[in-house]
Amino acid sequence: MMMMAPTSANDDLLSVDMPSENDVKDESSLISPVELDGNDDGDESASHRQRSLLKTLWSEATSTTDLPPPPNHRLHHRRATAAAAARKGSDNGIAGMSSPSKRRTGRQSHPHRYRVGRGGRIAKRVWLAAFAALAASFLIAVHVFLYRVFTESGGANNNSDPIGNSLGSMTENGAVILAVEDQEAKMTLAEARSHELAPIDVHSIDTSQYTIRMNTWQRNELLLLSINHHARCEGVKEIQVIWCDSNNKPPVDVTHHPSGKVKIETHTINSLNERFKVILDAPTLGILSLDDDVLRPCEALDAAFARWTRHPDRMVGFDARTHVVDDSNVEDEEKKNGGGREGKSKWKYGYMSTTESSNRYSMTLPRASFLHRDYLDLYVLGLPRPIYAYVAQNLECEDVAMSFLVSSLTDGRPPLLADYWAVKSMVKLFSERKISGGKDHKSTRDRCVNDFAELLGIKEDGKQPLRTEKLIHSKQFFGYGAEPEDWMDIDPISFGSPRLQAIVETMRALQSSSNEKRMGWLMQQKAVTMREAKAAGMIEQTEEWKERWEMKSIE
């Protein structure tokens, strides 16, 4: 019988466990010769041949000479290499002479080293994953904290921090208040200052007519009354209604106005910045920015427009306001700074009463102002983003922002004003809905004036310090604000429009008339302006108004 080399439990994985001599001693226990040939009487020679055949088959089945490599050859390649080297050495009669103890030691070391190295790498990866998860959690917590700080600091009632420290959130109660394209300024203030306004003398329409951009919000009756009046003015080329109410459609009487002058400019965002964001191209360079509750005679608008055509780089407004410099905190700030820096004065908003009592002004309100079409684009593209975002978040101070911006682009000069009579010709429409006001209105505007001036560089220590100018001059009916003009010095022929030529002639005639005639003429113009609104009960304190609203309050 062929004898096989003894095996060990620690042999290479390529070795096969062999039965011992004692295991195969009782060969009949493996298989019975009778079971092979089925002969119950089988003779001795046949039995001997069968046993020899069984031994030969067993020897071939248990041989390790030509076994293929294990299926997982990548995982066990080091052990397979060692086994192959051992077989090669055995064939050459050299390497196979090593002692069994050395072979066992080598064979034990490889799987042990592999198991320890693999376990170490797995543990290392687990620890790295845990550390990465912990770091990610920490970063998320920091971002959430900073977001809350920035959002809370952008509120209207937080007067301790300057507006420039935070842009705040770009949404308000789930609604987007700042478009993606408006979140970053497209030009610097220096670039805006170097911008050359489009000349108004290229096309005759720019010196003869203007475009009204009317801001409105859920006051359809006022809107229609205002459109009806202004559409009758010959100087009005087009009326663009800024519609930001995405929940309601404009009334049919507005969208299909019989004058043919009305166009609806639909905005998806409800923000006061949108009144200066042009979507529909205006047919003229002259823009009259107007609120829906303000009416003035067509003659007053024409006179102001004639003044604007002579100074197209300036705003020409009807509502003068001023800023008040508060130096009370200067000394306190110097003490807080240790005397190393001069304290800065605080600017506050001056209402009309303050403006008239001081007889000084520095700004105008775009609720009724002429300005160049390019300034609308410069507001959207070049206004510092903290100012732009603050207006969007608080629905406040866009008028201060525009007035200050234009002054910062014109060497700190304040806007020009229309004649005194034109300012006083205003007809205010009554509204139950008040867009502005409230207990925080004054403090909010104080903050706007101070911080906007700081960001635009028009404070006393800025690059373009804002000037104040005298408001009322000796000729109270005409001269008003900075650089007043004498109509007697203006040649009617200098205007190409017959309508504006007629306005110059009328102003010159009034200038040489008595005050009584002037006032009579002015009252007549106001009566024509308010006729439709008065009949509708929308002029406060008139008989028609009392009949409509006092009866309603009784009911």
Side-chain angles (χ1 to χ4, degrees):
M1 178 180 292
M2 182 182 296
M3 300 296 294
M4 303 300 295
T7 62
S8 170
N10 294 325
D11 258 345
D12 193 276
L13 290 178
L14 292 176
S15 300
V16 178
D17 290 337
M18 298 285 293
S20 66
E21 185 175 356
N22 295 329
D23 293 334
V24 298
K25 188 173 184 179
D26 187 4
E27 296 173 349
S28 63
S29 64
L30 296 175
I31 187 167
S32 173
V34 176
E35 294 173 357
L36 288 175
D37 62 7
N39 188 354
D40 294 338
D41 300 329
D43 59 30
E44 184 177 356
S45 62
S47 177
H48 178 75
R49 288 195 301 270
Q50 289 173 356
R51 284 196 296 272
S52 298
L53 178 62
L54 285 173
K55 290 178 180 180
T56 302
L57 292 174
W58 177 260
S59 176
E60 292 176 354
T62 58
S63 175
T64 61
T65 304
D66 297 319
L67 283 176
N72 198 357
H73 61 280
R74 291 182 61 83
L75 184 60
H76 303 286
H77 67 282
R78 288 181 293 182
R79 280 181 260 177
T81 303
R87 288 197 301 272
K88 183 177 179 181
S90 177
D91 293 340
N92 295 334
I94 300 175
M97 300 300 293
S98 60
S99 65
S101 61
K102 289 183 178 181
R103 287 199 302 272
R104 283 195 298 270
T105 303
R107 287 165 187 164
Q108 286 178 342
S109 63
H110 289 295
H112 178 71
R113 287 199 306 269
Y114 177 76
R115 286 194 297 271
V116 172
R118 184 170 181 268
R121 286 195 299 272
I122 293 175
K124 182 177 181 181
R125 290 172 182 173
V126 170
W127 280 106
L128 287 175
F131 178 79
L134 182 62
S137 301
F138 175 77
L139 289 176
I140 292 173
V142 170
H143 280 78
V144 170
F145 172 77
L146 292 176
Y147 172 80
R148 289 176 177 174
V149 170
F150 289 156
T151 302
E152 293 171 359
S153 65
N157 297 327
N158 186 0
N159 294 320
S160 59
D161 297 327
I163 289 172
N165 283 351
S166 173
L167 287 180
S169 174
M170 299 308 160
T171 61
E172 188 78 21
N173 297 325
V176 178
I177 58 175
L178 199 61
V180 175
E181 65 270 17
D182 297 332
Q183 292 181 11
E184 293 184 3
K186 303 300 187 296
M187 62 170 60
T188 64
L189 284 176
E191 292 172 335
R193 292 188 183 102
S194 63
H195 174 79
E196 293 185 5
L197 302 177
I200 68 170
D201 55 357
V202 175
H203 304 287
S204 60
I205 191 174
D206 293 324
T207 56
S208 60
Q209 289 184 295
Y210 51 90
T211 300
I212 292 179
R213 287 181 60 84
M214 188 175 296
N215 197 48
T216 186
W217 177 256
Q218 297 182 353
R219 302 192 297 189
N220 291 345
E221 184 178 6
L222 275 67
L223 174 63
L224 185 58
L225 288 172
S226 182
I227 289 175
N228 289 343
H229 166 68
H230 291 103
R232 289 192 287 265
C233 297
E234 294 181 19
V236 175
K237 176 64 177 178
E238 187 172 284
I239 301 175
Q240 297 179 345
V241 178
I242 315 303
W243 193 266
C244 298
D245 186 1
S246 58
N247 295 324
N248 299 286
K249 293 182 178 180
V252 177
D253 292 342
V254 172
T255 56
H256 297 89
H257 196 269
S259 67
K261 293 183 176 182
V262 180
K263 289 187 177 180
I264 307 297
E265 187 179 89
T266 304
H267 294 249
T268 58
I269 295 176
N270 179 28
S271 168
L272 288 174
N273 288 320
E274 300 298 300
R275 73 183 302 169
F276 304 130
K277 188 174 182 179
V278 177
I279 297 177
L280 298 177
D281 193 23
T284 65
L285 291 177
I287 302 294
L288 174 58
S289 178
L290 202 62
D291 281 358
D292 58 3
D293 61 347
V294 175
L295 308 181
R296 279 189 172 84
C298 297
E299 291 78 6
L301 300 180
D302 282 342
F305 176 68
R307 180 160 166 76
W308 176 81
T309 60
R310 294 168 61 83
H311 309 276
D313 61 327
R314 308 282 290 280
M315 288 181 70
V316 176
F318 293 84
D319 300 284
R321 297 292 186 271
T322 191
H323 69 274
V324 179
V325 179
D326 183 7
D327 295 324
S328 60
N329 67 324
V330 172
E331 187 175 345
D332 294 337
E333 286 194 11
E334 289 179 351
K335 290 180 180 178
K336 186 167 58 177
N337 295 332
R341 291 181 301 170
E342 292 185 1
K344 288 187 176 181
S345 61
K346 289 285 187 180
W347 283 16
K348 294 183 178 181
Y349 181 78
Y351 284 102
M352 189 61 197
S353 57
T354 303
T355 304
E356 290 184 336
S357 63
S358 65
N359 200 30
R360 309 288 296 183
Y361 83 102
S362 57
M363 68 183 89
T364 191
L365 307 181
R367 72 174 183 177
S369 293
F370 282 98
L371 71 165
H372 197 288
R373 160 70 172 75
D374 287 3
Y375 284 133
L376 304 182
D377 289 338
L378 293 176
Y379 179 99
V380 175
L381 300 176
L383 189 71
R385 291 304 95 170
I387 300 178
Y388 201 93
Y390 186 86
V391 172
Q393 290 170 336
N394 297 278
L395 290 175
E396 185 64 87
C397 296
E398 90 291 352
D399 47 3
V400 176
M402 176 58 87
S403 184
F404 277 5
L405 174 65
V406 176
S407 291
S408 73
L409 302 180
T410 53
D411 301 323
R413 293 178 294 171
L416 299 177
L417 299 176
D419 282 336
Y420 184 77
W421 71 267
V423 171
K424 296 303 180 181
S425 68
M426 181 182 71
V427 174
K428 193 79 162 58
L429 299 180
F430 173 75
S431 175
E432 292 182 290
R433 297 174 58 92
K434 303 297 183 183
I435 295 180
S436 62
K439 63 179 182 179
D440 296 323
H441 183 66
K442 178 62 167 64
S443 61
T444 299
R445 293 185 77 80
D446 286 345
R447 185 186 183 198
C448 290
V449 167
N450 183 75
D451 292 354
F452 290 7
E454 188 77 34
L455 289 167
L456 291 168
I458 59 174
K459 275 197 166 183
E460 300 92 334
D461 57 347
K463 294 182 178 180
Q464 307 285 340
L466 180 62
R467 310 177 211 167
T468 61
E469 294 286 350
K470 188 175 181 179
L471 183 64
I472 300 176
H473 301 270
S474 57
K475 298 179 180 179
Q476 294 187 0
F477 196 80
F478 289 100
Y480 198 59
E483 305 173 29
E485 293 180 302
D486 191 338
W487 288 101
M488 292 296 184
D489 297 333
I490 299 175
D491 186 359
I493 305 301
S494 62
F495 294 95
S497 168
R499 187 189 79 260
L500 296 183
Q501 293 175 5
I503 281 292
V504 175
E505 294 287 0
T506 301
M507 294 300 103
R508 296 175 72 172
L510 286 172
Q511 193 166 332
S512 59
S513 299
S514 65
N515 189 59
E516 184 179 356
K517 288 185 177 181
R518 295 172 183 171
M519 295 305 299
W521 176 85
L522 178 57
M523 295 305 296
Q524 183 181 0
Q525 301 304 317
K526 290 187 66 174
V528 172
T529 302
M530 71 171 65
R531 183 179 297 150
E532 182 182 2
K534 182 173 179 290
M538 297 300 291
I539 306 299
E540 200 167 358
Q541 300 304 322
T542 62
E543 292 298 325
E544 294 82 355
W545 177 85
K546 292 177 181 179
E547 182 178 352
R548 175 178 176 177
W549 297 102
E550 288 184 358
M551 291 298 295
K552 183 178 179 179
S553 62
I554 294 174
E555 294 175 358

